[in-house]
Amino acid sequence: MSRRLYLDLVIIFGAAALLRLWLLRSDVAPTFSGLAGERRLLGFNELVLTLCFISAAFLVFAIRCIRRQRAELTLRVAAELHARQMACHDSLTGLANRRHFEDVLNAKFAAGELEGPAALYTLDLTGFRSINEVFGHAVGDEILRIMARRLNRFSDEATLIARLGSKEFSLLCPGLGNRHQAEDLAKRIIGRLEDPVLIGSTRHEVGTALGIVMLPSTNAAVGTAKSDVAAQEALRRSEIALHEARLEMKSGICFYDDEMDAALQERAALQEYLQEAIGTDGIVPHFQAVVELSTGSIVKFESLARWQHPTLGEIPAARFIALAEDCGLIGPLTEDLLRRACEEARHWPSHVKLSVNLSPVLLRDRTIGLRFLRILGESGLAPNRLELEVTERVFVRNIDSARGILDDFRAAGIHISLDDFGTGYATLSQLQNFPFDGLKIDRSFVQTMSGSNDSAAIVGAILSLGRGLGLTVTAEGIEAVDQQQALLLDGCALGQGYLFSRAVNASEARALVLAQTAEKATAQVV
């Protein structure tokens, strides 16, 4: 018995007992005297009256129990309905959640309802994460609710609309006869979602990447599989198409095809190989010399990652560096390469510096400076012999965090250089306010300056800008003597390129600086 029912029982029977005691002292008992007749016995009236009170108390208690059970049953049914609603729907937007969407998709495959033409859309709100970071999650949540209401306007064309993840949605749309109809609907969805959102006095704009898979798929893996497998495969393919659509700058539409699946599997395998290669001799630093253009003397080496896979052969750095940034391996990879490069740089003459590329992704981590300084301390390389090169992508997001980290590096004595200048996002004010010690002119300008007046003018302007700001300017991509001479005439101090040296392994780099040192010693003796 519950505590509440026990309390009711005590109150009802206690009240009956008190009333019975009160009646014993009143004149009511004699009114029952006629009921006994000649069989009138002592106390019969009191017994009848007591039984009546007990019966009445039981009746009141039973009524209370029935009413309470009905109330509890109503609450239980409401709770079950609410739990079912919560299990099937997203609490923020009210749309179906991923589990319910998959269940519906399974049921439709099992019932054969997707044998006709249909389209499965999966979309992602691009640029949404930066809104969360800048304006807070309350604003982000309101934008998600608005986007859900906008998607609901397509409910006549969609069997079900769901929120799959934090900023991902999916629509199942039957009755689309071909890709053109599916693409037309996709464009209307993107056009509706990209309307600016006004919250308070601030206008927010988000893009939409949208992946589409047509059902039934031409691949028998979907059409003939068990319903649950087929549903999961259809969702997986729509997410593969979404991944390709995300590669667009703002918004994009992409239909799934089998080549995407092969490329994704290849990328997954390469990621696994990359994880295994970090910390081994599979990925090692090579070194390309940076020289004084006037004398040809080596002043520093730029460390460049090289990966020689035992079965895939040489993998381009641009490919595996981008992969490492995407999958979160860029930190361990950079630290391992930095450690190896610093240990090698200790064997160079003290005036020869080491230059290392630093991914902008790492400039979101405030602890990166401590980790780099620890590596320098373990290797014994002085901080003033290390130069970090960053690209203009550093200006795209988290500018304040990046500036703080670069300031910490400079305070420790490490030099900072801006790589590939002129091809990205830098403005003059950012160039002035960031802690740079040098600039590198992008190779595309250097290699075309002899045949293009525009490229020559850009190179001259960058050199003038560097002198005005007190920055050391390095030209990269020098492959011909006439390029070297033209840069010297414009006042460029340092150069890098195949004219002087390709990227070489550690032993060859050491041989280059030792040969240069021996040559200088011989010249001094003569």
Side-chain angles (χ1 to χ4, degrees), residues 10-24 50 53-54 57:
V10 171
I11 291 173
I12 291 170
F13 280 88
L18 290 174
L19 183 59
R20 177 69 185 93
L21 289 174
W22 176 78
L23 290 176
L24 285 175
T50 301
F53 273 100
I54 292 174

Side-chain angles (χ1 to χ4, degrees), residues 295 297 514-526:
T295 64
S297 298
L514 291 178
Q516 180 177 273
T517 302
E519 184 179 342
K520 286 184 178 180
T522 302
Q524 289 176 356
V525 171
V526 173

Side-chain angles (χ1 to χ4, degrees), residues 343-505:
E343 290 174 353
E344 180 59 32
R346 289 190 303 112
H347 302 288
W348 304 338
S350 59
H351 69 278
V352 178
K353 295 181 179 180
L354 170 66
S355 179
V356 174
N357 293 291
L358 180 64
S359 169
V361 175
L362 295 177
L363 293 178
R364 304 172 193 168
D365 183 0
R366 293 293 300 182
T367 66
I368 189 66
L370 295 175
R371 300 206 300 273
F372 273 35
L373 289 175
R374 184 179 68 248
I375 291 172
L376 286 173
E378 292 172 352
S379 66
L381 186 72
N384 62 5
R385 291 186 61 194
L386 177 64
E387 178 181 81
L388 298 178
E389 295 185 14
V390 296
T391 66
E392 294 181 61
R393 282 197 297 151
V394 72
F395 299 117
V396 176
R397 57 174 15 182
N398 299 322
I399 295 178
D400 293 336
S401 173
R403 181 187 289 112
I405 293 172
L406 294 180
D407 282 335
D408 293 342
F409 279 130
R410 283 199 74 191
I414 298 172
H415 297 273
I416 309 295
S417 179
L418 182 60
D419 195 10
D420 300 334
F421 181 69
T423 62
Y425 311 90
T427 65
L428 294 180
S429 61
Q430 290 170 333
L431 191 62
Q432 185 178 19
N433 294 329
F434 261 69
F436 294 123
D437 300 289
L439 296 175
K440 294 188 76 173
I441 304 174
D442 186 70
R443 67 179 65 249
S444 61
F445 300 126
V446 173
Q447 292 177 353
T448 58
M449 61 184 296
S450 59
S452 169
N453 292 331
D454 291 340
S455 294
I458 290 173
V459 170
I462 294 174
L463 289 168
S464 298
L465 178 64
R467 285 192 295 269
L469 295 176
L471 305 177
T472 302
V473 180
T474 303
E476 58 182 0
I478 303 173
E479 298 182 357
V481 175
D482 62 330
Q483 294 171 351
Q484 177 186 11
Q485 296 301 321
L487 289 165
L488 276 172
L489 290 175
D490 282 339
C492 185
L494 303 178
Q496 179 182 8
Y498 290 167
L499 179 63
F500 311 110
S501 173
R502 293 178 177 269
V504 296
N505 61 35

Side-chain angles (χ1 to χ4, degrees), residues 191-256:
R192 188 69 190 93
L193 295 184
E194 286 192 343
D195 287 342
V197 178
L198 183 64
I199 298 179
S201 59
T202 306
R203 287 165 56 94
H204 302 278
E205 295 185 3
V206 295
T208 307
L210 202 153
I212 310 171
V213 59
M214 299 301 296
L215 302 173
S217 172
T218 55
N219 191 319
V222 170
T224 63
K226 292 173 58 179
S227 61
D228 56 342
V229 176
Q232 292 174 9
E233 180 66 12
L235 266 176
R236 187 185 73 86
R237 292 182 178 189
S238 69
E239 289 171 350
I240 290 173
L242 173 62
H243 174 76
E244 294 297 320
R246 283 195 188 105
L247 300 179
E248 300 290 336
M249 288 298 293
K250 183 180 180 183
S251 294
I253 298 172
C254 186
F255 284 87
Y256 169 83

Side-chain angles (χ1 to χ4, degrees), residues 50-283:
T50 301
L51 290 174
C52 289
F53 273 100
I54 292 174
S55 299
F58 270 116
L59 180 61
V60 173
F61 180 68
I63 293 172
R64 291 280 295 174
C65 287
I66 292 171
R67 293 184 63 183
R68 192 173 303 283
Q69 286 177 351
R70 285 181 177 176
E72 289 180 354
L73 182 60
T74 301
L75 290 174
R76 184 178 301 171
V77 170
E80 289 177 355
L81 289 174
H82 180 68
R84 193 176 299 124
Q85 176 76 8
M86 293 293 292
C88 297
H89 291 80
D90 173 55
S91 60
L92 178 65
T93 62
L95 298 176
N97 59 19
R98 187 183 190 99
R99 178 180 178 182
H100 183 52
F101 190 79
E102 290 179 351
D103 289 343
V104 171
L105 203 56
N106 288 337
K108 289 189 174 297
F109 270 108
E113 296 180 17
L114 294 177
E115 293 178 358
L120 177 62
Y121 297 83
T122 300
L123 63 92
D124 178 68
L125 302 178
T126 59
F128 176 77
R129 186 166 296 156
S130 61
I131 293 176
N132 261 346
E133 293 173 352
V134 175
F135 297 97
H137 288 278
V139 172
D141 289 347
E142 181 60 25
I143 289 176
L144 288 174
R145 283 189 285 265
I146 291 172
M147 294 301 173
R149 290 196 292 269
R150 291 179 178 180
L151 283 173
N152 268 327
R153 296 187 180 183
F154 297 93
S155 57
D156 291 341
E157 298 168 279
T159 299
L160 187 63
I161 303 172
R163 182 187 178 201
L164 300 186
S166 62
K167 56 191 182 74
E168 290 186 10
F169 300 85
S170 197
L171 297 86
L172 178 60
C173 301
L176 298 176
N178 52 52
R179 287 170 63 105
H180 294 296
Q181 293 180 5
E183 185 174 2
D184 178 66
L185 177 58
K187 289 178 179 178
R188 288 191 284 122
I189 291 172
I190 288 179
R192 188 69 190 93
L193 295 184
E194 286 192 343
D195 287 342
V197 178
L198 183 64
I199 298 179
S201 59
T202 306
R203 287 165 56 94
H204 302 278
E205 295 185 3
V206 295
T208 307
L210 202 153
I212 310 171
V213 59
M214 299 301 296
L215 302 173
S217 172
T218 55
N219 191 319
V222 170
T224 63
K226 292 173 58 179
S227 61
D228 56 342
V229 176
Q232 292 174 9
E233 180 66 12
L235 266 176
R236 187 185 73 86
R237 292 182 178 189
S238 69
E239 289 171 350
I240 290 173
L242 173 62
H243 174 76
E244 294 297 320
R246 283 195 188 105
L247 300 179
E248 300 290 336
M249 288 298 293
K250 183 180 180 183
S251 294
I253 298 172
C254 186
F255 284 87
Y256 169 83
D257 63 48
D258 291 337
E259 291 182 1
M260 294 179 188
D261 204 355
L264 190 66
Q265 292 179 12
E266 181 183 348
R267 186 178 187 274
L270 190 64
Q271 178 178 332
E272 185 177 348
Y273 294 148
L274 177 61
Q275 194 163 5
E276 294 173 353
I278 294 175
T280 71
D281 290 335
I283 303 179

